[in-house]
Amino acid sequence: MGGNDKLAQVRGRNPWRWIPTLYFAEGLPYVVVMTLSVIMYKRLQISNTDIAFYTSLLYLPWVVKPLWSPVVDIFATGRRWITSMQFIIGILFFVVAFLLPAPFFFKATLGIFWIAAFASATHDIAADGFYIQALDNEKQAFFVGIRSTFYRLAMIIVQGVAVMVAGWLELRTGNVVGAWRYVMLGLSVMLICMAVYHFIVLPSPVTDKKRKIISLRSVLREFANTFITFFQKKGAFAGILFLMTFRLSEAQLLKIAAPFMLDSAQSGGLDLSTGVVGFTYGTVGVVALVAGGILGGVAIARRGLRFWLWPMVIAVNLPNLLYVWLAYVQPETMLPVNMAVIIEQFGYGFGFTAYMVYMIRFSEGKYSASHYSLCTAFMAIGMMIPGMFAGWIADKIGYIGFFWWVFFSALPVFAILPFVKIKD
């Protein structure tokens, strides 16, 4: 089968029919598991210590994702993995909704979210591989911005709209558990409908097929070569430390920002309602994040990563001081809160571009896809471990002390920057 056969297959299914929804479906479960769960558990009276520790463990599937990514290629087509994972995650969210009223809901729903996280990571592998198989090089480049936009749209829908709906239901019914049950049921239905939709509209490129099962020795040899060549890269040690420390501050802030906004003023929080947090953190903040990311991409395209690396790392970390200020002042109006979130998220979006470009440059070579997966695994470790202890730190030293701690947690990445090798 040649390239013309592949294109003939693809022409039958307009990419606009499935790429936006595919990457919306990729983003949705990730944001539910990693972000929505934090807000939901806070509203259900779980402590910051437990929320941060146990929801950070949900990063584990993305840490070990490179170890089972070959299985996705060997045992089924990308198309089948995509639709199956979407359907399974939809069912799992239904189970979460069913379990919320139970006295043991926290442990039970965490277990379900953990399974959903593995399914979501598997969906990521299949979707990204399918994207390459179903599109020629020109279309792959064209749709990069589209897929990123709809992934971010999933963040707005989950962190923003879904949380605002939960807040509205909380006020209307007076039943916090019931409100979050309806939200999880809605997300469940959304994913199941997308699974059905993608079963109908996804193309069937000729390259999307199960691999022939090769010998165990060959598989192990390829695994070994992938890891050996990764650690043999020039500047690998400094690069890995950079990957693990770049998000050290964010990993902790991400687990406590929403609980801080929801907590009572007496506890040091901002005493905001669920709906207001959904609007501020999940809508306004995400729009600022996207805008910062766009500007960051333009900046690196013009002057290169080497020029922008230090300014972008500063842009990620300096705005965290605004949370120190919010904790001190505890403003009673929303304007300063919104402005602080906008500045912090815009700075993060702008600076995070450097991190993404660095991972791409670091991964160049024979095993570029596998090495990129390893980079994302180190990134996930850098998010998981610090996040696990963020709630305990916040509970021990209070929100003001915690946000100072977050700010100074940026020092390790600045210490490593002089040793990071940059390819431009």
Side-chain angles (χ1 to χ4, degrees):
M1 294 283 185
N4 291 334
D5 295 320
K6 177 181 175 181
L7 291 176
Q9 290 278 355
V10 174
R11 285 194 190 103
R13 301 289 169 90
N14 188 333
W16 282 102
R17 293 178 62 189
W18 58 270
I19 288 177
T21 53
L22 176 62
Y23 281 90
F24 181 86
E26 181 173 312
L28 191 146
Y30 178 84
V31 183
V32 170
V33 169
M34 302 312 309
T35 305
L36 187 76
S37 63
V38 172
I39 300 172
M40 182 181 76
Y41 287 139
K42 184 65 179 179
R43 293 297 298 133
L44 297 176
Q45 307 302 312
I46 304 299
S47 71
N48 289 348
T49 298
D50 286 343
I51 291 172
F53 183 84
Y54 290 107
T55 62
S56 291
L57 285 174
L58 297 173
Y59 279 111
L60 184 61
W62 284 276
V63 173
V64 300
K65 184 172 71 172
L67 299 180
W68 89 86
S69 56
V71 175
V72 175
D73 290 329
I74 292 172
F75 289 103
T77 64
R79 193 179 191 279
R80 180 169 295 180
W81 279 110
I82 288 166
T83 53
S84 299
M85 292 303 102
Q86 289 173 7
F87 183 79
I88 288 170
I89 296 168
I91 296 298
L92 291 170
F93 287 170
F94 177 86
V95 175
V96 169
F98 177 78
L99 290 170
L100 283 179
F104 51 86
F105 79 91
F106 184 51
K107 292 181 180 179
T109 56
L110 274 173
I112 300 301
F113 277 138
W114 199 73
I115 298 170
F118 268 99
S120 179
T122 303
H123 181 276
D124 292 356
I125 297 166
D128 293 340
F130 187 84
Y131 178 86
I132 295 170
Q133 293 166 342
L135 302 176
D136 58 34
N137 291 340
E138 183 181 348
K139 285 188 172 64
Q140 287 175 27
F142 176 81
F143 280 100
V144 163
I146 305 302
R147 55 184 269 186
S148 176
T149 298
F150 278 85
Y151 191 97
R152 299 296 187 188
L153 180 61
M155 294 176 65
I156 293 175
I157 295 299
V158 176
Q159 291 179 211
V161 176
V163 175
M164 287 190 285
V165 169
W168 178 77
L169 289 171
E170 287 177 6
L171 293 173
R172 185 175 179 85
T173 65
N175 184 345
V176 175
V177 174
W180 285 98
R181 289 191 78 190
Y182 280 118
V183 167
M184 291 306 303
L185 285 171
L187 294 168
S188 169
V189 170
M190 190 180 300
L191 270 167
I192 291 171
C193 288
M194 279 194 273
V196 174
Y197 175 76
H198 289 135
F199 182 80
I200 296 169
V201 306
L202 283 181
S204 299
V206 293
T207 52
D208 182 30
K209 57 186 178 181
K210 294 187 292 184
R211 288 184 187 174
K212 293 181 180 178
I213 298 178
I214 55 179
S215 68
L216 178 61
R217 179 178 295 180
S218 298
V219 172
L220 293 176
R221 186 186 303 118
E222 285 301 299
F223 265 109
N225 287 337
T226 298
F227 282 92
I228 291 169
T229 54
F230 182 85
F231 290 103
Q232 286 178 339
K233 285 179 177 288
K234 186 177 180 181
F237 181 70
I240 291 168
L241 289 178
F242 176 70
L243 292 173
M244 295 180 65
T245 58
F246 182 92
R247 304 182 76 181
L248 183 57
S249 294
E250 185 224 354
Q252 300 173 85
L253 183 66
L254 187 65
K255 291 300 176 184
I256 300 301
F260 163 65
M261 293 179 185
L262 290 166
D263 239 342
S264 66
Q266 292 81 4
S267 300
L270 299 183
D271 202 17
L272 303 181
S273 68
T274 306
V276 170
V277 171
F279 176 76
T280 300
Y281 196 65
T283 303
V284 174
V286 173
V287 170
L289 179 74
V290 172
I294 293 171
L295 183 61
V298 172
I300 288 180
R302 291 186 176 180
R303 297 297 299 270
L305 178 60
R306 191 187 307 275
F307 178 86
W308 282 109
L309 184 61
W310 277 84
M312 285 185 167
V313 175
I314 292 170
V316 167
N317 293 285
L318 186 61
N320 291 336
L321 279 174
L322 292 169
Y323 278 90
V324 177
W325 176 74
L326 287 175
Y328 270 116
V329 175
Q330 293 181 287
E332 296 181 358
T333 61
M334 284 308 302
L335 180 60
V337 178
N338 283 331
M339 290 306 300
V341 171
I342 288 171
I343 294 170
E344 182 264 326
Q345 288 289 287
F346 181 88
Y348 180 75
F350 178 75
F352 188 68
T353 310
Y355 191 65
M356 297 299 292
V357 173
Y358 177 79
M359 288 198 296
I360 292 170
R361 303 279 170 80
F362 188 84
S363 303
E364 290 173 351
K366 179 181 177 181
Y367 298 100
S368 58
S370 297
H371 286 177
Y372 188 82
S373 292
L374 286 169
C375 286
T376 61
F378 281 111
M379 176 179 68
I381 293 171
M383 292 293 290
M384 181 179 74
I385 296 175
M388 289 170 63
F389 303 101
W392 179 82
I393 296 170
D395 285 343
K396 288 294 182 182
I397 63 178
Y399 286 120
I400 294 174
F402 173 77
F403 291 126
W404 276 116
W405 165 261
V406 166
F407 177 70
F408 286 111
S409 293
L411 292 177
V413 73
F414 283 104
I416 292 162
L417 276 181
F419 305 99
V420 175
K421 305 295 183 183
I422 302 298
K423 295 180 181 179
D424 269 334

